[in-house]
Amino acid sequence: MTEPKGKEHDDIFDKLKEAVKEESIKRHKWNDFAEDSLRVIQHNALEDRSISDKQQWDAAIYFMEEALQARLQDTENAIENMIGPDWKKRWLYWQNRSQEQCVHNETKNELEKMLKCNEEHPAYLASDEITTVRKNLESRGVEVDPSLIKDTWHQVYRRHFLKTALNHCNLCRRGFYYYQRHFVDSELECNDVVLFWRIQRMLAITANTLRQQLTNTEVRRLEKNVKEVLEDFAEDGEKKVKLLTGKRVQLAEDLKKVREIQEKLDAFIEALHQEK
């Protein structure tokens, strides 16, 4: 149904096809037994923790990098919306920050200073740290609410965490040799790579299993649903009038009426001949 329509396309059944598709999707429900089977397969895949070769290790690192980069880009966009345009955009595109964005920017700068002093800082700010940040900002004439500090910290810490994770991911590229031989190195603790490999493997096995379920079972069940929907529509006169429309349909109806009149006329003439 999504294929491009050519010159010879017959649009008389388009509404009917769309209605049948929507109704079939409403009626179709994935087989419960297939869901239970898939759940067991996923669980078994996640239990496996042994990466067998360097190729799988590199694929897991690439998968991890893609996920981290996507989250980092989302975070950068959130920070940009929060603090407004940087100096380059303000000069080149004549853009200005709002009052709220200026406050967010000052808060971000203060939080980054604190994070630079303690790069191992936990994910949450303590109440005394919030008070310190607020007083530092007030000394520069910036009035700020504690909730605004927390919201800004969430994005600042998130960006710091993701960048740290990406750097660690680069370090783990050479970590397969250590992992394979069970060496212990605090700088190359790559359990997160193993986690992403387990997720990637689970996704691959899930996709393959779903593909098999579709071709072996669900396609036939969906085909049965479509036939049932068509049969129900065939018995519903109002739906047929609503879904099958156009000049050709009207012409066919008119021809049908003409044919009925012709048959009655022929029957009447035949009756007259018999009386004579």
Side-chain angles (χ1 to χ4, degrees):
M1 291 187 66
T2 56
E3 290 179 357
K5 299 172 183 179
K7 292 181 180 179
E8 299 180 359
H9 172 73
D10 191 350
D11 61 356
I12 194 171
F13 296 113
D14 283 356
K15 287 184 180 179
L16 177 62
K17 287 179 181 178
E18 189 65 34
V20 171
K21 184 191 81 169
E22 290 177 2
E23 185 64 27
S24 300
I25 290 172
K26 286 179 185 177
R27 295 187 187 186
H28 184 78
K29 185 177 182 299
W30 200 274
N31 194 337
D32 292 337
F33 295 108
E35 288 184 10
D36 294 336
S37 172
L38 182 63
R39 191 174 292 110
V40 172
I41 290 169
Q42 289 177 327
H43 179 74
N44 292 337
L46 287 171
E47 284 298 307
D48 189 3
R49 298 169 185 269
S50 56
I51 303 179
S52 57
D53 57 46
K54 183 72 164 55
Q55 186 176 0
Q56 291 181 355
W57 182 269
D58 291 340
I61 288 177
Y62 179 74
F63 177 55
M64 181 178 171
E65 276 186 331
E66 276 193 322
L68 292 172
Q69 288 287 4
R71 297 294 181 276
L72 181 59
Q73 186 59 51
D74 292 342
T75 306
E76 294 285 5
N77 293 338
I79 291 174
E80 184 177 353
N81 291 332
M82 185 182 287
I83 67 172
D86 57 13
W87 66 270
K88 187 185 292 184
K89 287 184 178 179
R90 293 201 304 274
W91 276 97
L92 293 177
Y93 304 110
W94 294 82
Q95 296 178 350
N96 290 318
R97 287 178 174 147
S98 66
Q99 182 62 35
E100 185 181 359
Q101 287 174 336
C102 290
V103 174
H104 272 294
N105 185 55
E106 292 291 335
T107 308
K108 177 190 76 76
N109 293 337
E110 190 65 32
L111 291 170
E112 284 178 343
K113 289 177 188 176
M114 186 178 67
L115 195 56
K116 195 173 289 184
C117 295
N118 180 16
E119 294 189 353
E120 299 297 325
H121 196 289
Y124 296 99
L125 281 174
S127 57
D128 57 334
E129 290 176 320
I130 294 174
T131 304
T132 302
V133 170
R134 186 165 59 84
K135 287 185 175 180
N136 288 343
L137 290 169
E138 285 177 354
S139 66
R140 299 203 301 270
V142 179
E143 294 290 335
V144 63
D145 191 79
S147 60
L148 186 143
I149 295 174
K150 290 179 182 178
D151 292 341
T152 310
W153 168 257
H154 174 73
Q155 299 298 341
V156 170
Y157 182 82
R158 184 183 176 91
R159 179 169 65 180
H160 168 73
F161 174 82
L162 291 170
K163 286 184 175 180
T164 303
L166 278 168
N167 292 334
H168 185 66
C169 188
N170 289 329
L171 285 174
C172 284
R173 289 185 187 280
R174 56 185 175 87
F176 181 69
Y177 174 83
Y178 293 86
Y179 164 80
Q180 199 173 37
R181 286 158 181 77
H182 306 289
F183 288 167
V184 178
D185 188 337
S186 58
E187 288 188 2
L188 283 174
E189 188 66 35
C190 297
N191 291 328
D192 44 0
V193 177
V194 179
L195 171 65
F196 273 84
W197 173 78
R198 289 164 62 200
I199 294 171
Q200 188 180 42
R201 186 167 179 273
M202 184 270 291
L203 289 173
I205 291 174
T206 299
N208 189 48
T209 305
L210 287 173
R211 195 178 298 114
Q212 290 176 1
Q213 287 178 2
L214 279 170
T215 54
N216 296 338
T217 308
E218 295 301 324
V219 168
R220 288 197 297 272
R221 291 180 66 241
L222 186 60
E223 186 179 357
K224 182 182 175 183
N225 277 350
V226 171
K227 287 179 180 178
E228 289 175 356
V229 172
L230 282 169
E231 288 172 2
D232 292 345
F233 282 8
E235 296 174 3
D236 191 337
E238 290 183 6
K239 266 201 183 309
K240 285 190 287 186
V241 171
K242 181 180 177 182
L243 297 173
L244 296 172
T245 58
K247 291 183 179 179
R248 291 166 57 200
V249 176
Q250 188 60 46
L251 180 61
E253 290 289 338
D254 294 342
L255 288 173
K256 181 182 177 183
K257 290 177 183 176
V258 170
R259 196 178 300 114
E260 288 174 355
I261 294 170
Q262 185 67 43
E263 288 174 356
K264 288 179 181 179
L265 186 60
D266 291 343
F268 178 71
I269 293 172
E270 182 67 26
L272 285 177
H273 281 305
Q274 288 177 359
E275 288 180 3
K276 290 181 179 180

